[in-house]
PDB file of all heavy atoms in Angstrom:
ATOM      1  N   THR G 137      61.009  29.259 -21.596  1.00 45.00           N
ATOM      2  CA  THR G 137      60.890  28.390 -22.738  1.00 45.00           C
ATOM      3  C   THR G 137      59.680  28.853 -23.554  1.00 45.00           C
ATOM      4  O   THR G 137      58.856  29.625 -23.091  1.00 45.00           O
ATOM      5  CB  THR G 137      60.624  26.945 -22.394  1.00 45.00           C
ATOM      6  OG1 THR G 137      59.413  26.864 -21.607  1.00 45.00           O
ATOM      7  CG2 THR G 137      61.846  26.375 -21.608  1.00 45.00           C
ATOM      8  N   THR G 138      59.528  28.445 -24.791  1.00 47.00           N
ATOM      9  CA  THR G 138      58.429  28.813 -25.610  1.00 47.00           C
ATOM     10  C   THR G 138      57.369  27.734 -25.494  1.00 47.00           C
ATOM     11  O   THR G 138      57.615  26.539 -25.450  1.00 47.00           O
ATOM     12  CB  THR G 138      58.934  28.920 -27.132  1.00 47.00           C
ATOM     13  OG1 THR G 138      59.984  29.923 -27.168  1.00 47.00           O
ATOM     14  CG2 THR G 138      57.759  29.340 -28.033  1.00 47.00           C
ATOM     15  N   SER G 139      56.088  28.214 -25.467  1.00 48.00           N
ATOM     16  CA  SER G 139      54.974  27.258 -25.468  1.00 48.00           C
ATOM     17  C   SER G 139      54.968  26.444 -26.699  1.00 48.00           C
ATOM     18  O   SER G 139      55.492  26.769 -27.699  1.00 48.00           O
ATOM     19  CB  SER G 139      53.691  28.122 -25.277  1.00 48.00           C
ATOM     20  OG  SER G 139      53.032  28.201 -26.467  1.00 48.00           O
ATOM     21  N   PRO G 140      54.339  25.256 -26.669  1.00 52.00           N
ATOM     22  CA  PRO G 140      54.230  24.356 -27.873  1.00 52.00           C
ATOM     23  C   PRO G 140      53.474  25.022 -29.025  1.00 52.00           C
ATOM     24  O   PRO G 140      53.444  24.665 -30.104  1.00 52.00           O
ATOM     25  CB  PRO G 140      53.550  23.154 -27.377  1.00 52.00           C
ATOM     26  CG  PRO G 140      53.138  23.348 -25.972  1.00 52.00           C
ATOM     27  CD  PRO G 140      53.715  24.633 -25.469  1.00 52.00           C
ATOM     28  N   HIS G 141      52.759  26.154 -28.746  1.00 50.00           N
ATOM     29  CA  HIS G 141      51.980  26.791 -29.727  1.00 50.00           C
ATOM     30  C   HIS G 141      52.697  28.049 -30.347  1.00 50.00           C
ATOM     31  O   HIS G 141      52.119  28.855 -31.059  1.00 50.00           O
ATOM     32  CB  HIS G 141      50.658  27.276 -29.160  1.00 50.00           C
ATOM     33  CG  HIS G 141      49.848  26.157 -28.524  1.00 50.00           C
ATOM     34  ND1 HIS G 141      49.382  25.143 -29.261  1.00 50.00           N
ATOM     35  CD2 HIS G 141      49.596  25.886 -27.277  1.00 50.00           C
ATOM     36  CE1 HIS G 141      48.726  24.306 -28.520  1.00 50.00           C
ATOM     37  NE2 HIS G 141      48.884  24.750 -27.224  1.00 50.00           N
ATOM     38  N   GLY G 142      53.969  28.199 -29.971  1.00 50.00           N
ATOM     39  CA  GLY G 142      54.710  29.327 -30.585  1.00 50.00           C
ATOM     40  C   GLY G 142      54.421  30.640 -29.942  1.00 50.00           C
ATOM     41  O   GLY G 142      54.799  31.702 -30.488  1.00 50.00           O
ATOM     42  N   ALA G 143      53.813  30.651 -28.769  1.00 48.00           N
ATOM     43  CA  ALA G 143      53.465  31.893 -28.133  1.00 48.00           C
ATOM     44  C   ALA G 143      54.731  32.470 -27.394  1.00 48.00           C
ATOM     45  O   ALA G 143      55.743  31.863 -27.421  1.00 48.00           O
ATOM     46  CB  ALA G 143      52.353  31.693 -27.135  1.00 48.00           C
ATOM     47  N   ALA G 144      54.428  33.586 -26.769  1.00 48.00           N
ATOM     48  CA  ALA G 144      55.631  34.171 -26.084  1.00 48.00           C
ATOM     49  C   ALA G 144      56.243  33.277 -24.991  1.00 48.00           C
ATOM     50  O   ALA G 144      55.460  32.458 -24.511  1.00 48.00           O
ATOM     51  CB  ALA G 144      55.023  35.549 -25.397  1.00 48.00           C
ATOM     52  N   PRO G 145      57.350  33.522 -24.708  1.00 46.00           N
ATOM     53  CA  PRO G 145      58.009  32.665 -23.614  1.00 46.00           C
ATOM     54  C   PRO G 145      57.324  32.785 -22.268  1.00 46.00           C
ATOM     55  O   PRO G 145      56.760  33.807 -21.928  1.00 46.00           O
ATOM     56  CB  PRO G 145      59.468  33.232 -23.514  1.00 46.00           C
ATOM     57  CG  PRO G 145      59.644  34.017 -24.685  1.00 46.00           C
ATOM     58  CD  PRO G 145      58.284  34.519 -25.181  1.00 46.00           C
ATOM     59  N   HIS G 146      57.319  31.678 -21.532  1.00 44.00           N
ATOM     60  CA  HIS G 146      56.820  31.610 -20.267  1.00 44.00           C
ATOM     61  C   HIS G 146      57.855  31.007 -19.246  1.00 44.00           C
ATOM     62  O   HIS G 146      58.761  30.391 -19.703  1.00 44.00           O
ATOM     63  CB  HIS G 146      55.521  30.695 -20.195  1.00 44.00           C
ATOM     64  CG  HIS G 146      54.435  31.098 -21.015  1.00 44.00           C
ATOM     65  ND1 HIS G 146      53.644  32.188 -20.787  1.00 44.00           N
ATOM     66  CD2 HIS G 146      53.952  30.641 -22.199  1.00 44.00           C
ATOM     67  CE1 HIS G 146      52.799  32.377 -21.814  1.00 44.00           C
ATOM     68  NE2 HIS G 146      53.010  31.415 -22.640  1.00 44.00           N
ATOM     69  N   ALA G 147      57.625  31.273 -17.977  1.00 48.00           N
ATOM     70  CA  ALA G 147      58.597  30.754 -17.078  1.00 48.00           C
ATOM     71  C   ALA G 147      58.669  29.197 -17.070  1.00 48.00           C
ATOM     72  O   ALA G 147      57.633  28.552 -17.469  1.00 48.00           O
ATOM     73  CB  ALA G 147      58.171  31.143 -15.569  1.00 48.00           C
ATOM     74  N   ALA G 148      59.819  28.650 -16.821  1.00 49.00           N
ATOM     75  CA  ALA G 148      59.906  27.183 -16.806  1.00 49.00           C
ATOM     76  C   ALA G 148      59.159  26.664 -15.611  1.00 49.00           C
ATOM     77  O   ALA G 148      58.708  27.319 -14.718  1.00 49.00           O
ATOM     78  CB  ALA G 148      61.445  26.880 -16.696  1.00 49.00           C
ATOM     79  N   GLY G 149      59.058  25.298 -15.723  1.00 49.00           N
ATOM     80  CA  GLY G 149      58.257  24.544 -14.653  1.00 49.00           C
ATOM     81  C   GLY G 149      58.950  24.733 -13.307  1.00 49.00           C
ATOM     82  O   GLY G 149      59.988  25.316 -13.164  1.00 49.00           O
ATOM     83  N   PRO G 150      58.305  24.220 -12.274  1.00 53.00           N
ATOM     84  CA  PRO G 150      58.741  24.326 -10.941  1.00 53.00           C
ATOM     85  C   PRO G 150      60.184  23.934 -10.764  1.00 53.00           C
ATOM     86  O   PRO G 150      60.839  24.390  -9.810  1.00 53.00           O
ATOM     87  CB  PRO G 150      57.750  23.562 -10.090  1.00 53.00           C
ATOM     88  CG  PRO G 150      56.972  22.843 -10.964  1.00 53.00           C
ATOM     89  CD  PRO G 150      57.059  23.319 -12.342  1.00 53.00           C
ATOM     90  N   ASP G 151      60.642  22.894 -11.404  1.00 54.00           N
ATOM     91  CA  ASP G 151      61.962  22.437 -11.284  1.00 54.00           C
ATOM     92  C   ASP G 151      62.979  23.107 -12.125  1.00 54.00           C
ATOM     93  O   ASP G 151      64.130  22.846 -12.164  1.00 54.00           O
ATOM     94  CB  ASP G 151      62.092  20.930 -11.497  1.00 54.00           C
ATOM     95  CG  ASP G 151      61.659  20.520 -12.956  1.00 54.00           C
ATOM     96  OD1 ASP G 151      61.415  21.402 -13.755  1.00 54.00           O
ATOM     97  OD2 ASP G 151      61.801  19.332 -13.282  1.00 54.00           O
ATOM     98  N   GLY G 152      62.480  24.174 -12.887  1.00 56.00           N
ATOM     99  CA  GLY G 152      63.432  24.848 -13.755  1.00 56.00           C
ATOM    100  C   GLY G 152      63.657  24.362 -15.102  1.00 56.00           C
ATOM    101  O   GLY G 152      64.301  24.951 -15.926  1.00 56.00           O
ATOM    102  N   HIS G 153      62.909  23.235 -15.433  1.00 59.00           N
ATOM    103  CA  HIS G 153      63.064  22.573 -16.700  1.00 59.00           C
ATOM    104  C   HIS G 153      61.803  22.491 -17.465  1.00 59.00           C
ATOM    105  O   HIS G 153      60.782  22.304 -16.828  1.00 59.00           O
ATOM    106  CB  HIS G 153      63.653  21.143 -16.579  1.00 59.00           C
ATOM    107  CG  HIS G 153      65.042  21.145 -15.926  1.00 59.00           C
ATOM    108  ND1 HIS G 153      65.252  21.071 -14.536  1.00 59.00           N
ATOM    109  CD2 HIS G 153      66.279  21.304 -16.450  1.00 59.00           C
ATOM    110  CE1 HIS G 153      66.511  21.071 -14.366  1.00 59.00           C
ATOM    111  NE2 HIS G 153      67.181  21.178 -15.405  1.00 59.00           N
ATOM    112  N   GLY G 154      61.733  22.464 -18.727  1.00 62.00           N
ATOM    113  CA  GLY G 154      60.598  22.268 -19.494  1.00 62.00           C
ATOM    114  C   GLY G 154      59.693  23.358 -19.542  1.00 62.00           C
ATOM    115  O   GLY G 154      59.849  24.497 -18.972  1.00 62.00           O
ATOM    116  N   TRP G 155      58.574  23.177 -20.281  1.00 63.00           N
ATOM    117  CA  TRP G 155      57.603  24.290 -20.472  1.00 63.00           C
ATOM    118  C   TRP G 155      56.546  24.196 -19.303  1.00 63.00           C
ATOM    119  O   TRP G 155      56.083  23.178 -18.914  1.00 63.00           O
ATOM    120  CB  TRP G 155      56.792  24.013 -21.782  1.00 63.00           C
ATOM    121  CG  TRP G 155      55.815  25.057 -22.105  1.00 63.00           C
ATOM    122  CD1 TRP G 155      55.970  26.334 -22.557  1.00 63.00           C
ATOM    123  CD2 TRP G 155      54.411  24.869 -21.911  1.00 63.00           C
ATOM    124  NE1 TRP G 155      54.748  26.962 -22.700  1.00 63.00           N
ATOM    125  CE2 TRP G 155      53.765  26.125 -22.248  1.00 63.00           C
ATOM    126  CE3 TRP G 155      53.632  23.914 -21.446  1.00 63.00           C
ATOM    127  CZ2 TRP G 155      52.431  26.387 -22.250  1.00 63.00           C
ATOM    128  CZ3 TRP G 155      52.238  24.041 -21.375  1.00 63.00           C
ATOM    129  CH2 TRP G 155      51.649  25.241 -21.783  1.00 63.00           C
ATOM    130  N   ALA G 156      56.250  25.364 -18.804  1.00 53.00           N
ATOM    131  CA  ALA G 156      55.147  25.523 -17.827  1.00 53.00           C
ATOM    132  C   ALA G 156      53.967  26.168 -18.421  1.00 53.00           C
ATOM    133  O   ALA G 156      54.223  27.220 -19.071  1.00 53.00           O
ATOM    134  CB  ALA G 156      55.694  26.153 -16.537  1.00 53.00           C
ATOM    135  N   PRO G 157      52.746  25.797 -18.149  1.00 56.00           N
ATOM    136  CA  PRO G 157      51.602  26.563 -18.663  1.00 56.00           C
ATOM    137  C   PRO G 157      51.545  27.865 -18.001  1.00 56.00           C
ATOM    138  O   PRO G 157      51.880  27.937 -16.816  1.00 56.00           O
ATOM    139  CB  PRO G 157      50.485  25.625 -18.357  1.00 56.00           C
ATOM    140  CG  PRO G 157      50.934  24.671 -17.233  1.00 56.00           C
ATOM    141  CD  PRO G 157      52.404  24.613 -17.388  1.00 56.00           C
ATOM    142  N   PRO G 158      51.115  28.809 -18.756  1.00 55.00           N
ATOM    143  CA  PRO G 158      50.985  30.079 -18.114  1.00 55.00           C
ATOM    144  C   PRO G 158      49.846  30.169 -17.146  1.00 55.00           C
ATOM    145  O   PRO G 158      48.932  29.426 -17.128  1.00 55.00           O
ATOM    146  CB  PRO G 158      50.557  31.038 -19.376  1.00 55.00           C
ATOM    147  CG  PRO G 158      49.982  30.156 -20.389  1.00 55.00           C
ATOM    148  CD  PRO G 158      50.644  28.774 -20.129  1.00 55.00           C
ATOM    149  N   GLY G 159      49.902  31.135 -16.267  1.00 52.00           N
ATOM    150  CA  GLY G 159      48.872  31.248 -15.311  1.00 52.00           C
ATOM    151  C   GLY G 159      47.666  31.920 -16.016  1.00 52.00           C
ATOM    152  O   GLY G 159      47.636  31.880 -17.249  1.00 52.00           O
ATOM    153  N   PRO G 160      46.722  32.410 -15.324  1.00 51.00           N
ATOM    154  CA  PRO G 160      45.519  32.970 -15.880  1.00 51.00           C
ATOM    155  C   PRO G 160      45.811  34.249 -16.618  1.00 51.00           C
ATOM    156  O   PRO G 160      45.712  35.355 -16.049  1.00 51.00           O
ATOM    157  CB  PRO G 160      44.608  33.164 -14.733  1.00 51.00           C
ATOM    158  CG  PRO G 160      45.453  33.205 -13.514  1.00 51.00           C
ATOM    159  CD  PRO G 160      46.705  32.365 -13.798  1.00 51.00           C
ATOM    160  N   ALA G 161      46.508  34.148 -17.817  1.00 51.00           N
ATOM    161  CA  ALA G 161      46.951  35.289 -18.540  1.00 51.00           C
ATOM    162  C   ALA G 161      45.760  36.078 -19.162  1.00 51.00           C
ATOM    163  O   ALA G 161      45.924  37.256 -19.478  1.00 51.00           O
ATOM    164  CB  ALA G 161      47.946  34.887 -19.624  1.00 51.00           C
ATOM    165  N   ALA G 162      44.649  35.467 -19.409  1.00 56.00           N
ATOM    166  CA  ALA G 162      43.562  36.113 -19.983  1.00 56.00           C
ATOM    167  C   ALA G 162      42.338  36.173 -19.105  1.00 56.00           C
ATOM    168  O   ALA G 162      42.210  35.329 -18.221  1.00 56.00           O
ATOM    169  CB  ALA G 162      43.107  35.414 -21.239  1.00 56.00           C
TER     170      ALA G 162
END
Side-chain angles (χ1 to χ4, degrees):
T137 59
T138 301
S139 90
H141 304 293
H146 299 288
D151 63 356
H153 298 94
W155 180 81

